[in-house]
Amino acid sequence: MAKSLGPVKRKFSPWTDPSAVPFIRFENITKRFGTFTAVDNLTLDIYEREFFSLLGPSGCGKTTLMRMLAGFEEPTEGRILLQGKDISGVPPYRRPTNMMFQSYALFPHMTVEKNIAFGLEQDNLPKGEIAARVEEMLKLVKLEPFAKRRPNQLSGGQRQRVALARSLAKRPKVLLLDEPLGALDKKLREETQFELMDLQTKLGLTFLIVTHDQEEAMTVSDRIAVMDKGLIMQVATPAEIYEAPNSRYVADFIGDINILEGTVAATESALGAPGTVRIDCEGMAVAVEQECQAVAGDKVAFAIRPEKVRISPDQPADPSANAVYGEVWDIGYLGDFSVFLVRMADGRIVRAAQANVSRLVDRPITFGDMVWLTWPLDAGLVLTR
Amino acid sequence: MKSPKFDATILTLGFAFLYIPIVILVVYSFNASRLVTVWGGFSLQWYRTMWSNAGLMDAAWVTARVGVISATTGTVLGTLAALSLVRFQKFPGRMLFSGMIYAPLVMPEVITGLSMLLLFVAMGIDRGFWTVIIAHTTFTMCYVAIVVQSRLLTFDRSLEEAALDLGCPPVKTFFKITLPLIFPAVIAGWMLAFTLSLDDLVIASFNTGPGATTLPIKIYSQVRLGVTPEINAICTILIGLVTIGVIIASIGTKRAEIRRIRDEHVAARGTT
Amino acid sequence: MANVSEPLKSLHTNPARWLVVAVPYLWLLLFFAAPFLIIFKISLSDTAIAMPPYTPLFQGFGALGDFVSNLDFENYLFLTDDPLYINAYLSSLRIAVISTFLLLLIGYPMALAMARAPTSLRPTLVMLVILPFWTSFLIRVYAWIGILKPDGLLTLFLQTIGIMGPDDQVQIFRTDYAVFIGIVYSYLPFMVLPLYSALEKMDNTLLEAASDLGCPPWKAFWKITFPLSLPGVIAGSMICFIPITGEFVIPDLLGGADTLMIGKTLWTEFFGNRDWPLASAVAVILLLALVIPIVIFQNQQKKVA
């Protein structure tokens, strides 16, 4: 499996290089449909060869943003630059981008071969070259035996690959993928995610993917933009998005997390420098080691991922560690993990996840047990937004 | 990519083409002058002439009765035919059956009319009121079958299965579940059958007999003699009746739709 | 579960279900299929015995032998002898082909414009196309007489706007042109609706995909939209072509003496000359000419259903 993944990407981070020139630039883009603002004064840079995800719930403007890049919608305000050139007003059929549609949009009256050749024929390439390119594409997506079939004679996964081949055939500068795996079942989806990454590295193209599936975005992307209501909430690598979300929205949208509202009690460092922040979460004292812009008295939230919370029947020996005491209220057995819902004296619930490292079915902790939840100072986060 | 202006122009021209002749006809039925090209002022005199024309009124009465009876029998037969086509995938002669449903839709009326007449003659049946009804039933049932069939094809069979599962026998299930749900289509089929019967000249001409002159036959014999405002008047009344019927039907469906949306709203609020 | 739905699918389990099929089936066999056999038989009989007052045809199966020995192709020979009938056939086909083409030419842009209109507007547009169909065919054809007559409204209109001199008149009424206008007018809804339903079903993302792959809109129309609407084109064309070929009312009311159409000929033979066998022979040949289009139409309908 690992071999088929192709060259491993190392140290690919042009966004950290201040001299790098963005490949695509959305500049103060606003898009309104009537009174509804789909995209609100948004600025975003995407770099060459990047695998970039737009992630958000439906209606957050991610698809509109992509359709503006493809040319199906024109921005109400702002401009889009592709390799430094403003592409406003260029119709979709003259843009060097290609799109893989959510519905695949395969032409039902053409064979697989004809579908893949369609874009090449529009460029009036010589027949022989078209045939060669189609063959190459069929090979790339492993569909050679199906060249003469019509789309309705293919399975969902095969159709998805035809759509991919068709959009790649013209060697676009940017490939746009609109929920490309949405119609596939879970297993096939996971496989295809790796194939996509493999293809992207091999072909050296820039991929822009729209998805509402956070796992998909985490798996395939170099960077993710989390969107909500036409705004970008955070742009970062998958690990940063997960481990250092910048807001309650992003923290809550990606993965599972405990969020407890509270007030900053004290900061033991100068403003903006790393140090310990003490938060009073409605009677529960929590200490976090973090660089923080908040000062005493600020309303903030304390957030911690369940897998970073340790659960134990015994009181922790180290008195400086964060610890809360509660009753096991419910247990969710997920196979690889068990999630414990622990109810504190005031009724608030904190979730702790524990990897099931042994095959033992009888767990040492069960419903109704009184337990201690502990976590180190650097496990949680202070969210100011 | 889309050209709304071009589209709007085409639609305007197309609908103008479809409606101007009808509008002219209606307007000139109120013309005091006998001449088509001269507007002699507003008048209802042609309606009075029409009203006192006994032959025309008789024909209208015959047509109405033929329409109601043949539309009703045609709707029953057509609904059964639609059920047969949708629900029974296999029976002997199914090909022939579906062929006989579709063929009358496009068959030139002169052929249908003539062939049916010859059947009646061969069977020694005197032509008249009832032969027209049989002829109309035969071609209208096919239209009804098509209308009802399209509704049945989207019918959720699990509703019937649920009724059967709850202990309702098949025939009862049909009347309690299936029929109420396809009823709008059945009504639409009836209305279509009724207008087709009202409209038919050729088939009725072949199959009618003494004392069973329908309105189209009457109108046709007068039209051949030239345009008369009296015919404009009766045409206007027919157009008016049909328009009222269509408006009532569309208000009915719109109301049902509004009620459904409102119910869904209430239901949604009730659950949250 | 399977047992519950089974009785609905199978005819064999419940004989009462036969009635559902049998009643409409027998009705159509008796009143639609059987008449064609009779028309075929009469077309082969002598004028004398088939003219009213006229002996019933069914004289038991014993008569079948007589029937075969009396087969008479005289009517068909007569049809081929007299150029009037051949010309009427050819003229009908010509008029039907031209009208169908004109209908496509006018109906397609209309259907396309309807399919591209905002979703909220579409039901109203469909309603507007259907509405004239609910008003009498005869009335709609009749309305054109008042417009097309030499002293009719079209002349008046053209004179008023100055295209025509006060003494000129539109010489369309009682010509083939009037027949074309009447046919296109009467059959337009039948052409627009199948086209619209084919175009409306079309997935708009296909056009976006074509555009995305470098295909300009006018080219995308011929490469994507038109090929995908072909079922609608065929259905609409057949629904119009077949009845137009046998059309009687329009050529009779709007056409001239020299407008030859087979439906009119049949009518004249039957009602004018009272020659039933000849009228039947005309009908049989008309039917034979329409078999292929009717089969195409039926296949199309089956695919839709």
Side-chain angles (χ1 to χ4, degrees), chain C residues 9 41 44 50 73 105 140 172 175 190 203 208 240 242 247 255 257:
Chain C
K9 282 186 193 134
K41 198 210 148 169
L44 294 169
F73 290 93
L105 220 58
R140 281 178 291 142
I172 288 181
T175 66
F190 294 99
D203 184 358
E208 285 186 350
C240 294
I242 301 166
E247 188 53 59

Side-chain angles (χ1 to χ4, degrees), chain B residues 18-19 37 93 121 199 220 232, chain C residues 25 54 128 136-137 142 151 252:
Chain B
L18 282 176
Y19 282 92
T37 43
V121 174
D199 194 14
Y220 173 70
N232 282 4
Chain C
Y25 202 148
Y54 132 122
L128 281 173
S136 168
F137 186 74
Y142 162 75
D151 58 344
D252 187 60

Side-chain angles (χ1 to χ4, degrees), chain A residues 67 93 98-99 109 170, chain C residues 208 211-213 219 223:
Chain A
R67 287 170 61 83
Y93 51 92
N98 281 139
M99 180 154 167
H109 58 305
K170 290 185 85 168
Chain C
E208 285 186 350
S211 184
D212 184 64
L213 293 165
K219 217 169 153 192
K223 290 217 143 199

Side-chain angles (χ1 to χ4, degrees), chain B:
Chain B
M1 161 156 181
K2 287 183 184 176
S3 39
K5 263 193 195 147
F6 178 70
D7 283 0
T9 314
I10 284 187
L11 286 177
T12 312
L13 289 177
F15 287 124
F17 176 61
L18 282 176
Y19 282 92
I20 284 177
I22 297 175
V23 171
I24 289 175
L25 186 88
V26 171
V27 169
Y28 275 84
S29 74
F30 298 106
N31 188 1
S33 162
R34 193 163 241 301
L35 292 167
V36 193
T37 43
V38 179
W39 179 253
F42 180 85
S43 158
L44 289 174
Q45 61 162 314
W46 305 113
Y47 289 85
R48 280 193 292 275
T49 329
M50 177 200 81
W51 190 253
S52 53
N53 183 336
L56 215 53
M57 285 298 114
D58 279 351
W61 176 232
V62 170
T63 307
R65 280 184 300 156
V66 167
V68 169
I69 299 174
S70 64
T72 308
T73 48
T75 301
V76 172
L77 288 169
T79 305
L80 289 178
L83 278 170
S84 315
L85 280 181
V86 176
R87 294 300 167 82
F88 305 125
Q89 291 306 317
K90 265 191 211 156
F91 58 84
R94 190 178 188 279
M95 282 279 284
L96 175 66
F97 185 61
S98 70
M100 288 193 300
I101 298 283
Y102 289 120
L105 303 181
V106 290
M107 189 63 68
E109 289 167 323
V110 283
I111 298 182
T112 315
L114 176 63
S115 63
M116 219 170 277
L117 156 86
L118 295 175
L119 174 81
F120 293 134
V121 174
M123 292 178 15
I125 298 173
D126 285 337
R127 285 174 291 146
F129 186 73
W130 289 103
T131 48
V132 176
I133 285 181
I134 291 176
H136 280 186
T137 300
T138 309
F139 86 93
T140 56
M141 69 176 273
C142 301
Y143 284 87
V144 177
I146 300 299
V147 172
V148 177
Q149 181 192 22
S150 67
R151 174 66 190 93
L152 277 173
L153 283 172
T154 58
F155 188 86
D156 182 1
R157 290 297 293 274
S158 61
L159 295 172
E160 286 172 355
E161 288 172 350
L164 292 166
D165 181 63
L166 294 167
C168 188
V171 174
K172 206 170 162 195
T173 298
F174 174 77
F175 285 104
K176 287 239 158 199
I177 309 293
T178 319
L179 194 57
L181 287 170
I182 63 168
F183 206 64
V186 174
I187 290 291
W190 189 92
M191 283 180 64
L192 183 61
F194 182 73
T195 23
L196 286 168
S197 166
L198 219 63
D199 194 14
D200 168 64
L201 163 69
V202 176
I203 293 173
S205 294
F206 278 102
N207 291 291
T208 190
T213 305
T214 62
L215 201 51
I217 298 177
K218 197 82 192 169
I219 293 175
Y220 173 70
S221 64
Q222 295 207 7
V223 163
R224 297 210 61 177
L225 305 174
V227 176
T228 66
E230 197 182 332
I231 295 295
N232 282 4
I234 188 122
C235 292
T236 301
I237 287 182
L238 282 177
I239 291 170
L241 286 177
V242 167
T243 312
I244 289 168
V246 170
I247 288 172
I248 288 174
S250 67
I251 287 176
T253 45
K254 196 153 258 173
R255 268 208 183 153
E257 183 72 4
I258 289 170
R259 199 177 316 133
R260 193 180 58 80
I261 290 170
R262 202 186 48 207
D263 289 353
E264 278 171 7
H265 242 75
V266 171
R269 232 179 306 153
T271 51
T272 50

Side-chain angles (χ1 to χ4, degrees), chain C residues 100-101 103-105 107-109 111-112 190-199 201 221-222 224-241 296-297 300-301 304:
Chain C
T100 307
F101 182 71
L103 279 162
L104 265 177
L105 220 58
Y108 203 104
L112 193 62
F190 294 99
M191 182 57 95
V192 171
L193 291 178
L195 286 175
Y196 168 76
S197 71
L199 288 167
K201 259 188 292 190
F221 173 80
W222 288 111
I224 313 292
T225 312
F226 190 73
L228 285 174
S229 68
L230 268 181
V233 171
I234 294 172
S237 300
M238 291 303 131
I239 286 175
C240 294
F241 177 82
I296 296 175
F297 168 72
Q300 204 69 37
Q301 289 300 302
V304 174

